[in-house]
Amino acid sequence: MTYHAKVVSGQIVLPLELRRDAGIEDGDSLVIEINPDGGLSMKTYAQVVREVQSEFRSMAQTADRNLVDELLAERRAAAARETEIEDWRTRHTA
């Protein structure tokens, strides 16, 4: 469907039908991108968040492993190394 919007004093005025069809509510934040062909894409902030969450979800599922557990294991190993270094410093600088 095609809609007509107007720029007034630097603000884009979107018709009610467009806002209703796109699920845009009063006060919503919009993300507007310039496409390679020069056109514009407009999404609500909530739509962008859902898209990013979906991308991360699919990345985690295709990885065939639990990324959260891997991150926690890496952090615990780093903390253990830091403790070992601090213990070594304490023994050798006293």
Side-chain angles (χ1 to χ4, degrees):
M1 178 154 246
T2 302
Y3 301 92
H4 174 80
K6 193 174 227 174
V7 179
V8 178
S9 300
Q11 297 181 359
I12 301 172
V13 179
L14 302 176
L16 175 62
E17 299 84 22
L18 170 62
R19 294 192 314 267
R20 185 177 36 226
D21 292 349
I24 299 171
E25 303 279 331
D26 238 8
D28 280 352
S29 292
L30 301 177
V31 177
I32 301 172
E33 297 177 327
I34 299 175
N35 299 327
D37 64 0
L40 299 176
S41 289
M42 180 173 42
K43 299 175 185 176
T44 65
Y45 181 76
Q47 288 170 321
V48 172
V49 169
R50 280 193 301 272
E51 287 177 9
V52 170
Q53 288 173 336
S54 176
E55 284 184 42
F56 276 103
R57 197 173 301 113
S58 68
M59 286 170 38
Q61 290 171 352
T62 59
D64 239 5
R65 58 186 201 248
N66 189 325
L67 298 177
V68 172
D69 288 343
E70 286 184 29
L71 176 63
L72 289 173
E74 288 174 12
R75 296 293 184 223
R76 288 181 182 125
R81 285 191 302 273
E82 289 176 18
T83 301
E84 289 172 10
I85 291 169
E86 193 56 40
D87 289 347
W88 184 88
R89 282 188 184 140
T90 302
R91 287 192 312 269
H92 291 88
T93 58

